Amino acid sequence: MERKVIVITGATGGLGSEMVKHFEQQNVRLALHTFQQEPFDVACEHAWFKADLRDPQQIDTLIAAILANFGRIDVLINNAGISKNGMSWKLSDADFNEVVAVNLTAPFKLIKGFLPKMRDQKSGRIISISSVVAQTGVVGTAAYAASKAGLIGLTKTVSKETATNGITVNCLALGYFNVGMIDEVAPEMQAQIIQAIPQQQLGSVATILATIDWLISKEADYITGQTISLNGGLFN
């Protein structure tokens, strides 16, 4: 069988780089997206692509470049994300729109751009990284919560549109983990977050990676349209 091509956006970030390290141990090919951070060496066949996900034209160029380079796509992981925090009545329109552009509009355009190839192949896996914040709401995160909630709705709809094409579309609603955006949270706030988690600890990235492995496996081909919550009991 031809080796899977896995597309990961935000591949140089905390969670993205962990995904890359995980997949480079497998017999796959990686199409890796970055924007501001520099690419790093990867042990398996791969290619790096730079694009500003706030720019629709750059997204179109990214899609075309990946398809030209690899000729197919088997897995799309919409991992890139940003947050601009502020009380809803203080948050600027520009900040709100920027968060939605990266966290929701870009995944939509990537899904839209890669679906024709997946439909031709009669196979594909789409996984978008959402957040427990979309499910619970957190003060000061109006833009982030709205964008991540939008991913859940996008997942549900696209899964129904592609259910007969051998394509599954799912979403991971992540709680607080030991990699990723938690690095931007002050230590005292991290302590408060951990106190609120029923398991009283941050999650391990291994949980996320194992869930992704399962979702892209043949055994998970009946799992679609789902929001899978990984949060230590914070929301259920």
Side-chain angles (χ1 to χ4, degrees), residues 116-151:
K117 176 60 71 173
M118 287 185 172
R119 294 179 75 237
D120 287 346
Q121 296 167 182
K122 297 292 185 184
S123 67
R125 298 284 191 267
I126 297 170
I127 300 170
S128 295
I129 305 299
S130 184
S131 170
V132 67
V133 173
Q135 299 166 315
T136 63
V138 171
V139 171
T141 66
Y144 185 77
S147 65
K148 293 298 188 177
L151 279 179

Side-chain angles (χ1 to χ4, degrees), residues 23 76 111 184 210 235:
F23 284 119
L76 168 63
I111 290 170
E184 302 172 15
F235 173 82

Side-chain angles (χ1 to χ4, degrees), residues 9-18 20 32-41 48-52 54 79-82 180-181 183-184:
T9 64
T12 47
L15 178 54
S17 59
E18 291 293 330
V20 175
L32 304 174
H33 158 262
T34 185
F35 173 37
Q36 293 177 316
Q37 294 175 283
E38 286 302 311
F40 50 84
D41 291 336
W48 285 96
F49 302 86
K50 279 200 170 188
D52 183 347
R54 298 170 299 182
N79 170 67
I82 62 170
M181 287 188 173
D183 294 336
E184 302 172 15

Side-chain angles (χ1 to χ4, degrees), residues 1-230:
M1 284 182 64
E2 191 168 359
R3 286 178 295 156
K4 286 178 181 175
V5 174
I6 300 176
V7 177
I8 303 173
T9 64
T12 47
L15 178 54
S17 59
E18 291 293 330
M19 291 180 188
V20 175
K21 286 189 281 187
H22 175 72
F23 284 119
E24 70 179 347
Q25 306 302 318
Q26 303 179 23
N27 188 28
V28 300
R29 297 184 289 164
L30 298 176
L32 304 174
H33 158 262
T34 185
F35 173 37
Q36 293 177 316
Q37 294 175 283
E38 286 302 311
F40 50 84
D41 291 336
V42 181
C44 65
E45 183 182 340
H46 69 282
W48 285 96
F49 302 86
K50 279 200 170 188
D52 183 347
L53 297 184
R54 298 170 299 182
D55 183 341
Q57 289 188 327
Q58 290 194 39
I59 297 173
D60 291 340
T61 300
L62 173 67
I63 294 164
I66 290 173
L67 291 176
N69 190 292
F70 290 96
R72 63 180 291 119
I73 173 175
D74 300 283
V75 180
L76 168 63
I77 302 178
N78 287 311
N79 170 67
I82 62 170
S83 181
K84 302 270 187 172
N85 295 336
M87 301 301 281
S88 55
W89 59 90
K90 295 181 179 179
L91 190 67
S92 72
D93 290 355
D95 283 349
F96 184 90
N97 291 336
E98 184 176 353
V99 172
V100 170
V102 174
N103 295 3
L104 181 57
T105 305
F108 163 72
K109 284 189 63 62
L110 288 161
I111 290 170
K112 178 182 177 182
F114 286 127
L115 269 179
K117 176 60 71 173
M118 287 185 172
R119 294 179 75 237
D120 287 346
Q121 296 167 182
K122 297 292 185 184
S123 67
R125 298 284 191 267
I126 297 170
I127 300 170
S128 295
I129 305 299
S130 184
S131 170
V132 67
V133 173
Q135 299 166 315
T136 63
V138 171
V139 171
T141 66
Y144 185 77
S147 65
K148 293 298 188 177
L151 279 179
I152 294 173
L154 180 64
T155 293
K156 290 180 181 295
T157 297
V158 178
S159 70
K160 286 182 167 58
E161 295 173 343
T162 59
T164 58
N165 298 118
I167 299 165
T168 68
V169 190
N170 292 290
C171 196
L172 301 186
L174 303 185
Y176 298 94
F177 281 79
N178 56 7
V179 298
M181 287 188 173
I182 195 68
D183 294 336
E184 302 172 15
V185 178
E188 60 273 15
M189 183 63 71
Q190 288 191 33
Q192 293 178 26
I193 288 170
I194 291 170
Q195 193 71 23
I197 300 170
Q199 287 194 355
Q200 298 281 286
Q201 61 183 346
L202 297 175
S204 167
V205 69
T207 300
I208 302 172
L209 299 174
T211 305
I212 292 173
D213 278 345
W214 172 59
L215 286 174
I216 67 178
S217 71
K218 175 63 178 169
E219 290 73 20
D221 62 5
Y222 202 57
I223 312 298
T224 194
Q226 303 305 304
T227 299
I228 300 172
S229 296
L230 309 176

